[in-house]
Amino acid sequence: MVDGRVSWKSSFAFLVCFVVGCHGVAHYYIGTGIADVTGPAAEVDMMGYANPAQTSHGIHLRQYSRAFIIADTAKKSRVVFVNVDACMISEILKIQVVQKLQTLYHGLYNDSNVCLSGIHTHSGPGGFHQYVLFDVTSLGFVKESLDSLVNGIVKSIQNAHNNMVAGNIYINTGELLDSNINRSPSAYLNNPAEEKARYKYNVDKNMTVLKFVDENAKPLGMISWFAVHCTSMNNTNGYISGDNKGYAAQLFEREMNPGSLPGEGKFVAAFAQSNEGDVSPNTKGPHCINTGKPCDILTSTCEGKNELCIASGPGRDMYESTKIIGGNQFKKAKELFHSASTLLTGPVDYRHQFVNMSIQIVQVNATHNATTCPPAMGYSFAAGTTDGPGMFDFTQGSTTSNPFWNVIRDFLSKPTPQQIKCQHPKPILLNTGEISFPYPWQPSVVPTQILRIGELMILAVPGEFSTMSGRRLRNAITEIAIQHGFPSNTTTVVAGLSNAYADYIATYEEYQIQRYEGASTIFGPHTLQAYIQKFKTLTVAMARGSPVPVGPSPPNFMKELFSFLPPVLFDHAPMGQNFGDVVKKPNPKYMPGGTVEVSFISANPRNNLMSGKSFLTVEMKQSDGSWKTMFTDADWETSYHWERTSTILGESISVITWNIPDQQMPGTYRIRHFGSSKSMIGGSITPFEGSTDIFQVAASPLSEKKGIQSYLKFLKHVKMQSELNENVA
Ligand SMILES: *[C@@H]1O[C@H](CO)[C@@H](O)[C@H](O)[C@H]1NC(C)=O
Ligand SMILES: *[C@@H]1O[C@H](CO)[C@@H](O)[C@H](O)[C@H]1NC(C)=O
Ligand SMILES: *[C@@H]1O[C@H](CO)[C@@H](O)[C@H](O)[C@H]1NC(C)=O
Ligand SMILES: *[C@@H]1O[C@H](CO)[C@@H](O)[C@H](O)[C@H]1NC(C)=O
Ligand SMILES: *[C@@H]1O[C@H](CO)[C@@H](O)[C@H](O)[C@H]1NC(C)=O
Ligand SMILES: *[C@@H]1O[C@H](CO)[C@@H](O)[C@H](O)[C@H]1NC(C)=O
Ligand SMILES: *[C@@H]1O[C@H](CO)[C@@H](O)[C@H](O)[C@H]1NC(C)=O
């Protein structure tokens, strides 16, 4: 009568919960933390598109690291999931974060139980890698980029560690439509028909949300996973930005932390990346920019040219597209958060293993084995994707103006016959696995990791899994986990771009088509199968409670890294002017919905990254005469633009824009600018600040709720005002 007893017990528990509430039964300890990781806001190439012209020159959204620590109730086992507003996590980044955590916490947090995952924004400063290929367009290694990431990530984990309370975690899944499309549908189509038939879409539309609450059901944080590239901002954008996921996080945190500035509230909302390899946010799809017609579907070209075929939308420009795709993720996550009712219960566990992906033996079928290969990039990789040219344009010689490239171009390696056979049918453009001058070009050793929180297994993969690759991995791991005694409602999510970066992972069938993703599947056609085998090994070990071998250590060649990015030489204010002087003044008065644009004599923002601070504040005068900061450079409504006005003289200005929200409180405002200048002699760094005159924001007629009359009057006024503005301009 065991069954009867169990059901009696659970009905009793249900009754107790129903009458007195189930609060107080905490299944986990939970800590959440956030910290600023914003990189150098000037002169550094953005990581992702590898467009040498796409260098940073300001900030739209600050980059954050969001950390979640989950421990069992005995605090015997814990895992850390950190979502970082960066293109990906680099090997050297994880190495340095773990080194710092070892010093701070003496082994509590290490490679095995800490997962760092990147959101894949293509608008964050690059140069934080130790492999040549990933640092080419940033002119080599950029220490400022790496340091800001390392310090901010560690700080977010410290904040989470200091915040730990007893609590619960709910999980929920739902479909989000109209927010992602497949950018290589012809490769997807090559997957087996019976496999495709199991899925309604050629991208994953599911969003998975974790809701973290304390034992009194007070919300602590949220993680959502949804597969979509953070390429709503295109390869012309020079403002640091978390793209669609960074914007979604800002919306969620704003709503849960009313009155708090970005990065300062207690509630932490992470929008994490998943199997986004072939998934674009540019939902209008690719079109020929010269004719407006659809591109050639197999090659993504117009009249044979890949640079004419670009995907965009759904908005009229990249800002509106970011807002729509980010807004959609926010709304779906919010809905899933508030309706989440399934508790995670069960152990907290983890397994981690380094694997030499260049030499794995893969079981193809009962009679045949195959091997993975040392890394190589195929020809299609140079063509980029319809989200933007993916990497430097190797074939057109534009790289000759790149000094970093110059040093190494003559040392390119010729692939061996064995390598050509292994990578077949990939035509090898860059034989990265067999060149190590001046140091290795791409990794061989990659981390594999699973974090377990009750019935959820987070599969942390060091790269970009295509839609179908992610599905195969999730299915294989769910199946083997349940076979080995995990609960039958075990579920899995793929956490993309985690712990290191080893490019793309397409299925064997997609690889045959050699689109960008297949060409960038660096370990050959059996890469996915090798990953699946390795993640199965981790799962079985976890089920059995046995350890896994650590595996080969990834190399650390920090000491050898080259950098060709010139340092800041010096800053200088024009004759008779000072740093922080206002160049362009605000108007005396603005209407809500209007735009304030002011500028200041400024200096290179690389002198001080203002981590956890801001290059600007929009301040409102309070009734007691004091000033309250309403917006910073991290807010969507502001932008910070830095521009050199004279390189020889070291002169520059900062332009600050504030788009006044429709519901902005009327009152007296000012905008301040903060920076640091570098002296010509001695190179000392001196902070400066400046403030505009005060200006008024008028009352919004809408907020006065005086009905349709006043609204019509308001519209008329706006029309007059804009005509007036036009006349002035
Ligand atoms: C990390 O720490 C855990 C617990 O102390 C230990 O079992 C594991 O071997 C460590 N892993 C590494 C890679 O050091
Ligand atoms: C999406 O989620 C639903 C509900 O959990 C599930 O039945 C379905 O299999 C999921 N789809 C994919 C492609 O994982
Ligand atoms: C990027 O987006 C802007 C609009 O915000 C557009 O003018 C430009 O053509 C786009 N560029 C590319 C390369 O997609
Ligand atoms: C799995 O099933 C158990 C037992 O019915 C339940 O308590 C738990 O909430 C379920 N978890 C998930 C993720 O469905
Ligand atoms: C990984 O395998 C490759 C190919 O055999 C080998 O050259 C390399 O030394 C291995 N790396 C490590 C760290 O074992
Ligand atoms: C196993 O794979 C090999 C190589 O792809 C193939 O030639 C062979 O026909 C396969 N055998 C079976 C039984 O599917
Ligand atoms: C394939 O590799 C596995 C693991 O290395 C080995 O056990 C098996 O015998 C091999 N099978 C064949 C057909 O070579």
Side-chain angles (χ1 to χ4, degrees):
M1 286 276 87
V2 171
D3 284 344
R5 213 161 61 216
V6 168
S7 76
W8 179 83
K9 255 191 185 170
S10 57
S11 342
F12 180 72
F14 178 75
L15 198 67
V16 170
C17 288
F18 194 72
V19 176
V20 302
C22 250
H23 306 160
V25 186
H27 290 88
Y28 299 102
Y29 276 90
I30 298 161
T32 60
I34 184 168
D36 187 359
V37 295
T38 308
E43 300 174 332
V44 177
D45 199 57
M46 299 291 201
M47 185 68 205
Y49 295 114
N51 172 5
Q54 192 201 359
T55 53
S56 59
H57 50 251
I59 296 178
H60 188 206
L61 300 173
R62 263 183 191 269
Q63 301 167 265
Y64 290 100
S65 169
R66 295 174 169 91
F68 299 80
I69 305 179
I70 299 103
D72 56 18
T73 46
K75 287 196 180 172
K76 280 222 164 79
S77 181
R78 61 178 67 204
V79 293
V80 186
F81 181 80
V82 188
N83 195 47
V84 187
D85 293 346
C87 194
M88 67 282 285
I89 303 302
S90 69
E91 183 178 275
I92 190 67
L93 175 53
K94 175 96 191 256
I95 290 174
Q96 292 205 355
V97 166
V98 167
Q99 276 170 358
K100 290 210 168 188
L101 292 174
Q102 291 285 11
T103 314
L104 287 166
Y105 297 106
H106 316 291
L108 193 55
Y109 303 113
N110 65 15
D111 256 329
S112 303
N113 63 350
V114 175
C115 169
L116 309 182
S117 185
I119 65 167
H120 209 38
T121 174
H122 283 44
S123 294
F128 55 90
H129 287 264
Q130 58 171 351
Y131 292 95
V132 170
L133 190 64
F134 308 141
D135 279 345
V136 166
T137 47
S138 59
L139 305 181
F141 173 65
V142 180
K143 188 167 186 298
E144 298 148 82
S145 290
L146 180 65
D147 287 350
S148 59
L149 287 165
V150 171
N151 295 335
I153 291 171
V154 170
K155 199 161 168 204
S156 69
I157 295 172
Q158 285 178 288
N159 290 342
H161 179 88
N162 296 334
N163 268 338
M164 287 184 78
V165 294
N168 279 310
I169 308 167
Y170 296 87
I171 188 167
N172 204 0
T173 301
E175 217 171 57
L176 171 57
L177 301 180
D178 302 322
S179 302
N180 60 0
I181 60 166
N182 195 306
R183 68 181 189 188
S184 288
S186 56
Y188 179 91
L189 276 178
N190 205 40
N191 288 309
E194 68 277 11
E195 183 182 37
K196 283 181 292 179
R198 293 206 294 272
Y199 302 98
K200 194 166 164 197
Y201 303 104
N202 64 1
V203 292
D204 278 341
K205 303 280 184 185
N206 275 357
M207 174 183 277
T208 298
V209 160
L210 294 187
K211 172 180 180 172
F212 297 87
V213 298
D214 73 7
E215 54 188 340
N216 301 311
K218 187 174 154 264
L220 298 172
M222 188 280 311
I223 306 177
S224 95
W225 282 274
F226 181 71
V228 66
H229 258 74
C230 276
T231 48
S232 291
M233 299 298 286
N234 69 31
N235 71 3
T236 64
N237 171 48
Y239 300 131
I240 289 173
S241 170
D243 206 282
N244 55 56
K245 288 187 186 285
Y247 177 61
Q250 179 162 110
L251 290 178
F252 210 119
E253 287 171 356
R254 239 185 219 183
E255 182 152 314
M256 300 303 284
N257 303 309
S260 294
L261 294 171
E264 291 183 4
K266 272 207 81 87
F267 185 93
V268 179
F271 284 78
Q273 197 51 277
S274 194
N275 49 328
E276 51 49 80
D278 50 358
V279 189
S280 166
N282 297 312
T283 54
K284 264 193 209 156
H287 288 92
C288 298
I289 53 173
N290 52 343
T291 62
K293 290 194 185 130
C295 315
D296 177 61
I297 184 155
L298 291 179
T299 58
S300 291
T301 54
C302 305
E303 296 151 22
K305 296 198 169 89
N306 66 60
E307 62 271 26
L308 294 178
C309 173
I310 292 179
S312 65
R316 63 177 178 273
D317 60 23
M318 59 181 165
Y319 292 96
E320 197 183 55
S321 296
T322 305
K323 213 170 165 173
I324 295 170
I325 300 298
N328 289 352
Q329 290 178 73
F330 159 65
K331 273 179 254 156
K332 180 51 74 174
K334 185 176 147 183
E335 177 197 317
L336 293 171
F337 182 87
H338 289 297
S339 62
S341 62
T342 307
L343 268 180
L344 289 180
T345 61
V348 172
D349 207 349
Y350 52 88
R351 288 293 182 281
H352 179 285
Q353 187 173 44
F354 289 112
V355 173
N356 190 341
M357 261 304 157
S358 292
I359 46 165
Q360 294 305 307
I361 294 172
V362 172
Q363 213 167 336
V364 178
N365 57 32
T367 54
H368 281 76
N369 282 348
T371 63
T372 56
C373 339
M377 303 293 273
Y379 268 84
S380 307
F381 142 83
T385 73
T386 51
D387 287 336
M391 277 276 177
F392 49 93
D393 197 344
F394 185 78
T395 50
Q396 286 185 25
S398 61
T399 47
T400 48
S401 61
N402 179 320
F404 187 64
W405 190 248
N406 287 346
V407 173
I408 45 198
R409 64 179 167 190
D410 298 331
F411 288 83
L412 296 182
S413 126
K414 204 167 169 233
T416 60
Q418 194 191 353
Q419 169 77 329
I420 291 171
K421 190 161 169 251
C422 186
Q423 294 276 357
H424 182 83
K426 179 195 285 173
I428 297 172
L429 174 64
L430 292 176
N431 190 29
T432 48
E434 297 181 334
I435 13 178
S436 53
F437 183 85
Y439 35 85
W441 280 50
Q442 282 186 312
S444 271
V445 174
V446 301
T448 57
Q449 182 187 41
I450 299 180
L451 304 184
R452 177 184 182 188
I453 310 166
E455 298 91 358
L456 176 68
M457 297 174 75
I458 301 170
L459 314 177
V461 299
E464 310 186 43
F465 274 53
S466 69
T467 299
M468 201 59 106
S469 294
R471 289 169 179 169
R472 284 190 198 169
L473 179 67
R474 289 198 310 259
N475 293 344
I477 299 310
T478 309
E479 190 186 316
I480 199 163
I482 294 170
Q483 271 172 16
H484 283 77
F486 278 59
S488 60
N489 58 1
T490 292
T491 108
T492 50
V493 289
V494 170
L497 301 138
S498 294
N499 298 323
Y501 186 65
D503 299 80
Y504 284 76
I505 297 88
T507 66
Y508 176 83
E509 294 81 1
E510 290 160 0
Y511 187 91
Q512 307 306 312
I513 303 297
Q514 284 293 304
R515 295 266 309 172
Y516 179 82
E517 296 79 16
S520 306
T521 296
I522 61 177
F523 301 111
H526 302 289
T527 304
L528 170 62
Q529 199 49 39
Y531 275 106
I532 290 177
Q533 284 181 190
K534 284 298 160 184
F535 275 87
K536 279 185 173 174
T537 308
L538 298 181
T539 308
V540 171
M542 192 183 275
R544 292 186 177 144
S546 53
V548 288
V550 178
S553 291
N556 181 340
F557 33 92
M558 258 306 278
K559 291 197 179 72
E560 297 160 46
L561 300 183
F562 280 122
S563 180
F564 287 90
L565 179 72
V568 179
L569 295 177
F570 62 92
D571 296 288
H572 183 251
M575 274 292 236
Q577 288 183 296
N578 295 309
F579 294 114
D581 282 0
V582 175
V583 180
K584 183 176 179 194
K585 293 182 172 172
N587 298 339
K589 191 172 179 182
Y590 294 87
M591 294 305 293
T595 299
V596 186
E597 191 190 278
V598 296
S599 66
F600 296 84
I601 302 290
S602 199
N604 195 317
R606 281 169 67 196
N607 294 326
N608 179 347
L609 304 187
M610 303 295 263
S611 303
K613 302 194 186 92
S614 177
F615 287 104
L616 68 92
T617 52
V618 176
E619 302 179 6
M620 185 190 178
K621 196 165 192 174
Q622 306 297 293
S623 50
D624 64 0
S626 67
W627 291 91
K628 184 179 175 202
T629 300
M630 309 298 284
F631 295 90
T632 70
D633 62 10
D635 282 293
W636 175 265
E637 290 78 2
T638 63
S639 70
Y640 167 62
H641 171 95
W642 180 79
E643 199 177 306
R644 267 249 174 272
T645 45
S646 164
T647 308
I648 296 170
L649 300 176
E651 294 174 1
S652 61
I653 59 164
S654 287
V655 181
I656 292 169
T657 309
W658 176 37
N659 291 316
I660 309 170
D662 290 335
Q663 305 304 321
Q664 191 60 34
M665 257 207 284
T668 302
Y669 287 80
R670 69 178 182 189
I671 289 176
R672 292 212 286 160
H673 171 44
F674 305 85
S676 294
S677 63
K678 186 169 183 178
S679 70
M680 198 182 308
I681 300 155
S684 62
I685 307 283
T686 313
F688 66 84
E689 58 180 79
S691 174
T692 65
D693 293 340
I694 60 167
F695 57 90
Q696 304 299 317
V697 172
S700 161
L702 282 174
S703 64
E704 286 171 359
K705 296 197 182 88
K706 280 191 188 142
I708 191 83
Q709 283 298 343
S710 82
Y711 181 57
L712 291 175
K713 239 164 85 187
F714 165 69
L715 287 181
K716 209 169 142 198
H717 177 87
V718 169
K719 191 160 169 275
M720 267 166 57
Q721 174 119 349
S722 68
E723 276 164 11
L724 213 69
N725 286 347
E726 264 167 38
N727 289 342
V728 173

